[in-house]
Amino acid sequence: MMKLFKYKIVLLILLCVQIISAQSDNDVKEAEVINAQKEMVGRLTGHLPIKGKKKLKSRSSTSERKTTANYLFDALKDIGLNAKKHPYNVQDKKGKVYNGVNIYTEIPATNGSKEYVVLGAHYDTAEGSPGAVHNATGVALAHYVATKLKELKTRSKNFIIVFFDQQETNMIGCRMFAKKLKEEKLNVLAMHRVDYMGWDNDEDRAIELLASSISLESAYRLESPVPVFKRVVSTPETRIFSTLGFETITITAELKNGDNSPYVHQPADKYTTVNFKYLASTSEIVYRVMKTMAK
């Protein structure tokens, strides 16, 4: 009996060591993601210089958006991806002219597939707002997913990661990019959009989904170890994509229950208000969904 007892104690100790080791590995992985995303959000919000000694006050003016676009272009190149610019010049029915540039990259399938999955986030802000939660966090999330998708040895689909310009100006950037995809007749399976990903006051790491199909919503529910809420109010971006015939899903913080930054569109939407553990958690969920789609 004593030998059996000692044997059980040894097994228990080994199990505890394995659990602690796994937790330690997860902590290290999360810390790596957080550090990378802190740098990007810091540079986008003026918490850190974006180039040389230059710091952004917001990402709303023509010059600020140009600086941001160039930074994101280089950020994609730095992880070994073929960064591209999608400039546009368009006039609305009232004669107002919009100029901007979307930044994107294509991560090709390894099997010659013609199917595409798009993940996007807008990089501009309201005037005078550093735009930390809205939407530097979404940009950092999409960049992280791009990094991880590139590392996959096999991908059964093509992925497009895109950073939209002029979201705050009648959503011109995403309108023009969606139109581009339609004109090129790409077989886009779904448009995934992330926004408001840096606030989690109740620390439950919950996400909210607005999906055009049950299958898209289910894909996230299956990969989410956190509460998932369903949004019932449509968004203008969703309507833009749907009108052009794209399946679409928007991933946000818990807007439905008011667990979102009270500083959106304000000067107080700063780097220091971002919950980076929440951003890392949601980044991993989105990556898991994309990884499953890549199989």
Side-chain angles (χ1 to χ4, degrees), residues 20 118 132 150:
I20 292 171
V118 179
K150 179 183 178 294

Side-chain angles (χ1 to χ4, degrees), residues 75-116:
L76 290 174
K77 286 177 60 179
D78 288 345
I79 57 175
L81 292 171
N82 181 22
K84 300 179 180 180
K85 293 183 178 181
H86 168 234
Y88 57 83
N89 183 307
V90 63
Q91 183 174 310
D92 65 15
K93 294 180 180 178
K94 296 181 179 180
K96 185 174 181 179
V97 176
Y98 300 90
N99 291 289
V101 58
N102 298 314
I103 304 298
Y104 73 105
T105 187
E106 295 183 24
I107 306 173
T110 57
N111 64 348
S113 171
K114 298 300 182 183
E115 296 178 321
Y116 285 80

Side-chain angles (χ1 to χ4, degrees), residues 213-278:
S213 70
I214 294 176
S215 61
L216 271 178
E217 182 180 323
S218 297
Y220 280 86
R221 290 187 179 276
L222 288 171
E223 300 294 346
S224 300
V226 301
V228 177
F229 296 92
K230 182 174 183 177
R231 188 175 184 182
V232 294
V233 179
S234 182
T235 65
E237 299 91 338
T238 300
R239 291 193 288 272
I240 289 170
F241 298 146
S242 297
T243 299
L244 290 172
F246 295 120
E247 294 290 343
T248 179
I249 184 165
T250 296
I251 307 98
T252 67
E254 199 179 329
L255 305 182
K256 183 177 182 180
N257 295 314
D259 191 14
N260 182 49
S261 172
Y263 308 121
V264 170
H265 290 159
Q266 300 176 37
D269 186 11
K270 297 179 179 179
Y271 170 93
T272 51
T273 69
V274 174
N275 184 326
F276 283 98
K277 283 184 175 289
Y278 175 59

Side-chain angles (χ1 to χ4, degrees), residues 12 43 63 84 119 196 205 233:
L12 182 60
R43 296 190 186 285
S63 62
K84 300 179 180 180
L119 173 63
Y196 302 101
R205 301 195 179 190
V233 179

